[in-house]
């Protein structure tokens, strides 16, 4: 993985001119049509461009990411040298991003010949390519081999090299449009391995999987989609340990998988699990008691299995797989899936339509996206989801609550002016809510949280010497605190005193 060829192009103007004029790899066009960044936050260095507005970027590991001017991007080589092999050896490579070795040599050669027929006559690519390859020290490869290299590179684009519009936050589409594996396959891979070891009677795996919360959850999910009659003992083992995590979806799943066998002797175990803590008792409250029979246990398990679980992983909510991906450290895999889903909703909000009420939208998936993206540490994308969520709220209470979260995310991402405007909108709703959902806001936690966010933003404004804005926000905070009930006002008193002192010490800008 080198950039030896790139250095030679930069050192020798005649080589750079040949690369630009014949193969459309122009070092003087390294300026993309819009600001972009990698979703991962990794470095991205533009090195060349082409006549159509596309740009070649070098990533941290040396991989070359090509982004066109129409919103598509993909890795085309593991290094600049490899990318140049493709650009020179397949001058019409953009026409071949849908090809793969599975198409076979005959079809590949026919496609390449057709694409290059006119190009070859006009540009003399055979002679120019041979000379440029020799000067740059690049090997000569057949079109079939180059298509294979390009296909392999393109498949590496996601999740590590997802390209975003830096201003809007939306993702570029895949350059090749090749269908990828469903998210659940890589997420569930480790769980399937552990489930196989459990079934084989590997006692080390029994202990290690049971005590590790993530491995345990994955093994249970693997057992959900690959059910076997001989799993009862390992399921009993896992359900005992999953209870240590309190009430989880996987604990309910484990109880269902045990209950589907319909053995009355499992009822005491499941009742003991239910008694782990208050949350678990509530979560499994409808499970039959220890004095019931096996038929009642099975009936309960079948009902929950049909409504909540099942055997098709594609029926699971996206959050099931993104959360399990994040738990395994597959952060970019989770981030990519969440951003892609957010893009889909932004482009077509009809996907949020409520069942049975086609004119009504359910914004809760946006709340979930905002929450998960924030959990991943991506507050920029979380804010993007939160703004969409805020716009779809239909009561004053919900709009105020959503604006409060939006203002916090704006503050935390350094958009203090936007946070100010969000809190101004919030105060407008408090003053004129248009419904009665906010009639008690001063006496509940919402009022305390609103005041606290005003004080916190005031401090942030003062810290960057926006003294006038800090004083205005402090005045609004004090007015809100004055409306709170005694307990709520007391809860923010210490913060209020601290921030007031901070603003008093602030100097007006010169």
């Amino acid at each position: 993985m080198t950039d030896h060829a790139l250095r030679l192009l930069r050192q020798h103007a005649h080589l750079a001119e040949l690369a630009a004029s014949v193969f459309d790899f122009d070092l003087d066009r390294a300026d993309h049509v819009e600001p972009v960044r990698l979703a991962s936050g990794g470095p991205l260095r533009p090195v060349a461009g082409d006549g159509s507005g596309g740009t070649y970027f070098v990533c941290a590991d040396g991989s070359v990411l090509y982004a066109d001017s129409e919103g598509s991007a993909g890795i085309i080589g593991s290094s600049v040298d490899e990318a140049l092999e493709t650009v020179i050896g397949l001058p019409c490579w953009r026409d071949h991003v849908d090809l793969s070795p599975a198409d076979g040599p005959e079809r590949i050669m026919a496609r390449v010949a057709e694409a290059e027929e006119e190009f070859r006559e006009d540009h003399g690519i055979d002679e120019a390519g041979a000379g440029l390859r020799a000067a740059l020290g690049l090997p000569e490869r057949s079109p079939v081999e180059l298509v294979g290299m390009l296909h392999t590179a393109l498949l590496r684009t996601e999740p590590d090299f997802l390209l975003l519009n830096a201003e809007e936050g939306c993702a570029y589409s895949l350059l090749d449009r090749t269908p990828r594996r469903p998210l659940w396959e890589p997420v569930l891979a480790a769980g399937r391995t552990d489930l196989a070891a459990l079934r084989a009677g590997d006692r080390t795996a029994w202990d290690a999987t049971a005590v590790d919360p993530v491995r345990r959850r994955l093994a249970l999910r693997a057992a959900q989609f690959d059910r076997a009659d001989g799993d009862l003992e390992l399921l009993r083992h896992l359900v005992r340990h999953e209870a240590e995590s309190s009430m989880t979806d996987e604990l309910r799943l484990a109880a269902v998988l045990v209950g589907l066998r319909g053995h009355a002797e499992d009822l005491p175990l499941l009742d003991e699990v239910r008694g782990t803590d208050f949350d678990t008792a509530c979560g499994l409250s409808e499970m039959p008691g220890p004095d019931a029979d096996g038929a009642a246990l099975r009936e309960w398990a079948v009902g929950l299995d049909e409504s909540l679980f099942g055997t098709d992983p594609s029926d699971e909510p996206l959050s099931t797989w993104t959360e399990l991906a994040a738990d395994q450290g597959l952060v970019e895999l989770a981030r990519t899936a969440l951003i892609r889903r957010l893009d889909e909703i932004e482009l077509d909000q009809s996907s949020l339509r409520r069942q049975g009420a086609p004119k009504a939208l359910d914004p809760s998936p946006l709340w979930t996206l905002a929450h998960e993206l924030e959990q991943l540490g991506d507050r920029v994308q979380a804010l993007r989801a939160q703004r969409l969520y805020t716009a779809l709220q239909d009561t004053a209470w919900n709009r105020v609550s959503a604006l409060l979260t939006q203002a916090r995310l704006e503050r935390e991402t350094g958009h203090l002016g936007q946070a100010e405007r969000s809190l101004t909108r919030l105060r407008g709703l408090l003053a004129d809510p248009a419904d009665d959902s906010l009639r008690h806001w001063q006496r509940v936690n919402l009022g305390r949280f609103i005041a606290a966010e005003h004080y916190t933003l005031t401090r942030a404004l003062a810290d960057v010497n926006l003294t006038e804005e800090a004083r205005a926000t402090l005045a609004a905070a004090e007015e809100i605190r004055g409306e709170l009930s005694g307990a709520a006002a007391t809860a923010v008193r210490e913060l209020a005193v601290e921030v007031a002192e901070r603003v008093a010490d602030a100097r007006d800008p010169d």
Side-chain angles (χ1 to χ4, degrees):
M1 295 170 56
T2 73
D3 60 357
H4 173 72
L6 181 61
R7 289 197 300 273
L8 289 175
L9 289 178
R10 287 172 170 168
Q11 292 168 3
H12 302 284
H14 70 288
L15 296 180
E17 171 60 26
L18 185 59
S21 61
V22 179
F23 301 102
D24 209 11
F25 186 91
D26 192 341
L27 300 182
D28 293 329
R29 290 182 180 269
D31 185 16
H32 198 50
V33 294
E34 63 186 5
V36 292
R37 67 180 181 87
L38 290 179
S40 66
L44 199 61
R45 176 169 56 98
V47 294
D50 61 29
S52 66
T55 307
Y56 297 89
F57 297 90
V58 177
C59 305
D61 70 343
S63 295
V64 174
L65 180 75
Y66 174 81
D68 67 23
S69 60
E70 303 299 320
S72 297
I75 295 292
I76 65 166
S78 61
S79 66
V80 177
D81 286 6
E82 185 177 303
L84 280 168
E85 285 187 53
T86 297
V87 169
I88 297 169
L90 291 174
C92 300
W93 67 267
R94 298 168 196 80
D95 296 329
H96 308 319
V97 292
D98 61 326
L99 290 175
S100 76
D103 290 304
E106 185 176 345
R107 182 171 182 229
I108 290 173
M109 293 300 295
R111 281 277 301 273
V112 170
E114 180 182 2
E116 293 181 358
E117 181 178 2
E118 182 176 348
F119 194 75
R120 176 173 282 104
E121 293 177 359
D122 294 341
H123 294 86
I125 58 175
D126 292 329
E127 182 180 352
L132 188 56
R133 273 195 303 269
L136 298 179
L138 301 177
E140 182 177 1
R141 301 184 192 273
S142 72
V144 174
E145 187 176 0
L146 290 171
V147 164
M149 290 168 54
L150 177 61
H151 178 72
T152 299
L154 288 166
L155 291 180
R156 294 178 48 237
T157 304
E158 291 187 354
D160 294 326
F161 305 101
L162 180 67
L163 190 67
L164 306 179
N165 178 301
E167 296 176 345
E168 298 174 3
C170 53
Y172 275 51
S173 60
L174 290 169
L175 193 64
D176 58 294
R177 312 296 173 95
T178 302
R180 269 35 176 196
R181 292 189 300 166
L183 177 61
W184 62 264
E185 285 192 10
V187 172
L188 206 55
R192 288 172 156 177
T193 298
D194 276 339
L195 179 61
L198 292 170
R199 285 173 172 170
D202 183 337
R203 302 313 299 183
T204 301
W206 272 62
D207 295 336
T209 302
V211 301
D212 185 316
V214 175
R215 291 180 64 177
R216 189 170 63 232
R217 291 173 64 201
L218 288 166
L220 285 167
R221 288 294 179 178
Q224 174 186 350
F225 305 114
D226 178 16
R227 303 184 181 189
D229 292 338
D231 284 351
L232 182 55
E233 194 56 40
L234 70 87
L235 290 171
R236 288 168 174 164
H237 182 61
L238 293 177
V239 76
R240 288 188 182 95
H241 285 275
E242 185 59 23
E244 297 170 6
S245 295
S246 190
M247 190 63 232
T248 65
D249 289 340
E250 283 72 28
L251 179 60
R252 185 179 286 110
L253 169 62
V256 164
L257 293 176
V258 170
L260 286 172
R261 271 65 178 181
H263 295 314
E265 58 265 33
D266 286 318
L267 285 164
L269 166 63
L270 296 177
D271 188 59
E272 179 183 345
V273 166
R274 175 167 49 191
T276 301
D277 55 31
F278 178 77
D279 289 341
T280 306
C282 293
L284 297 177
S285 61
E286 297 183 2
M287 188 174 63
D291 297 329
D293 58 20
L297 175 60
R298 175 170 168 73
E299 181 181 2
W300 168 81
V302 168
L304 271 189
D305 190 32
E306 291 177 350
S307 62
L308 296 180
F309 299 112
T311 58
D312 187 348
S314 63
D315 288 340
E316 284 292 321
L318 175 65
S319 58
T320 296
W321 305 121
T322 53
E323 289 175 9
L324 286 170
D327 287 343
Q328 295 177 77
L330 303 174
V331 174
E332 297 312 318
L333 193 65
R335 191 200 312 270
T336 294
L338 293 170
I339 291 175
R340 289 292 189 199
R341 177 60 181 140
L342 179 54
D343 285 352
E344 290 173 2
I345 294 175
E346 190 171 44
L347 288 172
D348 182 12
Q349 292 186 6
S350 66
S351 62
L352 299 177
R353 286 175 180 164
R354 298 180 187 271
Q355 285 189 335
K359 293 184 178 180
L361 299 182
D362 174 16
S364 61
L366 286 167
W367 181 91
T368 301
L369 287 170
H371 175 73
E372 286 199 62
L373 285 161
E374 186 174 6
Q375 290 294 107
L376 289 179
D378 196 334
R379 288 187 175 89
V380 172
Q381 291 290 340
L383 175 57
R384 183 174 157 229
Q386 183 65 30
R387 285 173 172 160
L388 290 174
Y389 176 73
T390 299
L392 295 177
Q393 299 311 302
D394 56 3
T395 69
W397 177 284
N398 289 343
R399 286 194 292 274
V400 164
S401 297
L403 277 168
L404 183 61
T405 300
Q406 179 175 311
R408 175 182 61 79
L409 288 169
E410 287 166 340
R411 171 177 56 79
E412 291 175 346
T413 53
H415 297 96
L416 302 186
Q418 294 174 4
E420 280 188 278
R421 290 190 287 274
S422 293
L423 290 184
T424 299
R425 288 174 58 197
L426 185 156
R427 294 195 299 275
L429 286 167
L430 294 180
D432 184 16
D435 62 41
D436 63 354
S437 61
L438 284 169
R439 61 186 181 277
H440 300 308
W441 71 267
Q442 304 94 332
R443 291 180 286 179
V444 295
N445 279 334
L446 179 62
R448 174 166 64 91
F449 296 150
I450 291 170
E453 183 56 37
H454 276 77
Y455 285 118
T456 305
L457 177 59
T458 298
R459 181 169 53 199
L461 291 165
D463 286 345
V464 294
N465 296 320
L466 294 173
T467 309
E468 183 178 343
E469 292 85 348
R471 288 171 179 162
T473 306
L474 176 61
E478 295 284 72
E479 185 176 344
I480 289 169
R481 187 163 70 102
E483 295 189 53
L484 299 182
S485 67
T490 300
V492 295
R493 183 179 182 279
E494 183 177 343
L495 176 62
V497 171
E498 174 197 329
V499 172
E501 291 176 350
R502 173 68 183 86
V503 172
D505 293 338
R507 295 181 178 179
D508 291 318
D510 295 334

